[in-house]
């Protein structure tokens, strides 16, 4: 009786909530193996008083979701820490005043911004200190870091140093596209001290590499997610409540889903992996039909996955955006 009541309770929310399900909007922040790897590295470095690490990725690999995951984890790993996400725009000439104004805008600074450079600088430093003082820790994440100028790094160094002298730990995390690798080499020649300060570690944020990576993603939908908040219902349970009661779990679809991607890529996934964006689009399309297909004993055949992959536009993806360097894509041996 309780099972049927739970199913009825879920279905009763469909008119108002189902369309907002994170999987159906392709907006779910899932703890993928690459995200967990980045989180491990970032929060390990965050134990230091001052630290930096940089990641580069091909488009559609899910770095925006990774940044969102770090933002959610930061209060757990470092209570009271402030978390600022800054996305520099592409520009020909760097200007400290513009950088400061951008940062003040990002942190929703309300007072009137002063005209003088010294005044703006003081406003930013004190605002960042006020945000960070509770936990004595600031995470500064720079997205699209390939747009930074070498001068920007110098100005960021000044900010970090000021906060450090006021007993605030600072963890700088750079995320960029593959151009970040070229920029790293260029900056190393021009300003090696700044490059080492902010990009001593330049790590690839990889796509999903194999069926086990896919299984981690799908299992998180089964066990590590909740929708709506506070309901206790996993993503899988919410979309397929009848099937869920009889044992259906998305994690069991990992092999079929990987084989479907391999089929639709003519085997290219074995070289380039699978970008998280395509997995999200595929889950969205399959989930949209979930209400009609939700019955006890339901399975999702490989043909359904393949049809969703085709409808997602996966076969028209840009190879250059997903192709990987031999070094970058080499996968460390998994622990037994």
């Amino acid at each position: 009786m309780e099972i049927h009541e739970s199913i009825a309770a879920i279905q009763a929310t469909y008119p108002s909530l189902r369309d907002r399900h994170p999987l159906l909007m392709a907006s779910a922040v899932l703890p993928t193996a690459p995200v967990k790897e980045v989180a491990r590295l970032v929060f390990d470095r965050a134990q230091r008083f001052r630290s930096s690490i940089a990641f580069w990725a091909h488009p559609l690999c899910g770095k925006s979701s990774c940044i969102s995951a770090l933002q959610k984890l930061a209060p757990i790993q470092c209570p009271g820490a402030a978390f600022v996400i800054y996305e520099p725009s592409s520009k020909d000439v760097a200007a400290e005043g513009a950088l400061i104004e951008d940062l003040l805008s990002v942190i929703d600074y309300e007072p009137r911004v002063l005209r003088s450079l010294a005044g703006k600088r003081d406003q930013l430093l004190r605002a960042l200190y006020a945000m960070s003082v509770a936990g004595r820790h600031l995470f500064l994440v720079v997205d699209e870091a390939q747009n930074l100028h070498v001068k920007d790094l110098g100005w960021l160094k000044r900010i970090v140093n000021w906060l450090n002298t006021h007993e605030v730990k600072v963890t700088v995390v750079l995320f960029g596209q593959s151009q970040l690798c070229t920029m790293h080499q260029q900056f190393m020649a021009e300003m090696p001290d700044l490059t080492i300060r902010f990009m001593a570690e330049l790590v690839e944020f990889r796509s999903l590499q194999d069926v086990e990576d896919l299984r981690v993603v799908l299992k998180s939908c089964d066990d590590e997610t909740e929708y709506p908040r506070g309901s206790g219902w996993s993503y899988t349970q919410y979309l397929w409540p009848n099937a869920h009661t009889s044992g259906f779990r998305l994690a069991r679809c990992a092999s079929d889903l990987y084989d479907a991607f391999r089929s639709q890529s003519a085997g290219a996934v074995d070289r380039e992996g699978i970008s998280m964006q395509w997995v999200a689009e595929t889950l969205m399309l399959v989930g949209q039909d979930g209400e009609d297909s939700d019955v006890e004993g339901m399975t999702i055949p490989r043909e359904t996955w393949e049809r969703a992959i085709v409808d997602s536009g996966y076969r028209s993806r840009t190879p250059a955006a997903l192709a990987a360097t031999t070094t970058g894509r080499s996968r460390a041996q998994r622990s037994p």
Side-chain angles (χ1 to χ4, degrees):
M1 187 65 176
E2 290 182 3
I3 292 176
H4 293 296
E5 288 177 352
S6 177
I7 292 173
I10 291 173
Q11 293 172 336
T13 69
Y14 280 2
S16 60
L17 294 177
R18 191 175 189 279
D19 288 346
R20 305 291 297 176
H21 191 290
L23 288 185
L24 299 189
M25 296 194 298
S27 63
V29 178
L30 301 172
T32 67
V35 167
K36 289 180 177 180
E37 184 178 336
V38 168
R40 180 186 64 79
L41 290 171
V42 168
F43 292 114
D44 174 72
R45 304 307 181 271
Q47 297 178 50
R48 299 162 175 77
F49 192 64
R50 183 180 68 202
S51 60
S52 299
I53 188 168
F55 299 93
W56 69 272
H58 291 287
L60 306 181
C61 278
K63 63 183 177 66
S64 295
S65 293
C66 183
I67 292 172
S68 296
L70 292 176
Q71 189 172 22
K72 289 183 177 181
L73 288 170
I76 300 171
Q77 299 289 331
C78 307
F83 198 97
V84 175
I85 304 172
Y86 167 56
E87 183 175 330
S89 58
S90 180
K91 51 191 178 296
D92 295 328
V93 180
E96 184 183 3
L99 172 68
I100 291 172
E101 289 177 4
D102 286 346
L103 285 169
L104 286 171
S105 176
V106 164
I107 64 176
D108 295 323
Y109 186 75
E110 293 184 356
R112 182 178 63 86
V113 177
L114 300 177
R115 286 184 140 187
S116 71
L117 180 58
K120 293 176 185 176
R121 187 185 300 134
D122 186 67
Q123 286 179 310
L124 175 63
L125 294 174
R126 295 188 183 283
L128 291 175
Y129 176 80
M131 292 175 62
S132 311
V133 69
R136 295 282 177 179
H137 197 161
L138 170 68
F139 286 88
L140 176 58
V141 177
V142 181
D143 194 8
E144 303 299 344
Q146 75 277 357
N147 291 331
L148 288 171
H149 280 249
V150 68
K151 289 182 178 179
D152 291 328
L153 295 182
W155 296 322
L156 290 176
K157 176 184 176 182
R158 178 184 292 172
I159 292 170
V160 172
N161 287 348
W162 188 93
L163 290 169
N164 284 164
T165 61
H166 289 76
E167 299 300 318
V168 174
K169 294 169 64 175
V170 182
T171 304
V172 179
V173 185
L174 306 184
F175 278 92
Q177 298 184 27
S178 56
Q179 298 96 309
L180 195 60
C181 300
T182 304
M183 191 179 86
H184 177 270
Q185 296 174 347
Q186 177 187 338
F187 284 7
M188 185 63 80
E190 296 177 14
M191 300 285 284
D193 57 330
L194 286 176
T195 309
I196 292 172
R197 172 77 172 265
F198 290 102
M199 291 189 284
E201 293 182 275
L202 182 56
V203 182
E204 182 184 8
F205 176 62
R206 57 186 176 80
S207 57
L208 305 176
Q209 296 292 289
D210 53 32
V211 67
E212 290 306 317
D213 276 356
L214 265 182
R215 199 183 315 279
V216 170
V217 173
L218 299 180
K219 191 174 188 302
S220 71
C221 295
D222 298 330
D223 301 332
E224 302 176 45
T225 48
E226 183 182 56
Y227 182 79
R229 184 178 298 178
S231 66
W233 302 325
S234 70
Y235 285 179
T236 305
Q237 183 180 5
Y238 187 88
L239 291 178
W240 296 280
N242 286 292
H244 187 271
T245 61
S246 61
F248 172 75
R249 299 294 184 272
L250 276 171
R252 295 172 186 166
C253 300
S255 294
D256 282 343
L257 180 54
Y258 189 83
D259 288 343
F261 272 110
R262 178 186 283 125
S263 173
Q264 293 303 317
S265 69
V269 295
D270 294 328
R271 301 189 306 275
E272 64 188 35
I274 307 169
S275 291
M276 187 59 206
Q277 179 65 30
W278 299 117
V279 177
E281 294 284 341
T282 300
L283 285 170
M284 177 188 73
L285 292 168
V286 171
Q288 285 175 348
D289 296 329
E291 193 171 1
D292 295 331
S293 60
D294 178 35
V295 294
E296 290 188 17
M298 182 201 80
T299 60
I300 302 177
R302 175 175 153 178
E303 293 75 19
T304 298
W305 291 116
E306 289 202 21
R307 185 167 60 251
I309 290 168
V310 171
D311 291 346
S312 75
Y314 172 74
R315 292 197 297 189
S316 63
R317 70 199 184 285
T318 304
L322 295 172
T325 61
T326 302
T327 303
R329 290 300 181 208
S330 61
R331 183 69 178 266
Q333 291 289 327
R334 290 184 176 274
S335 301

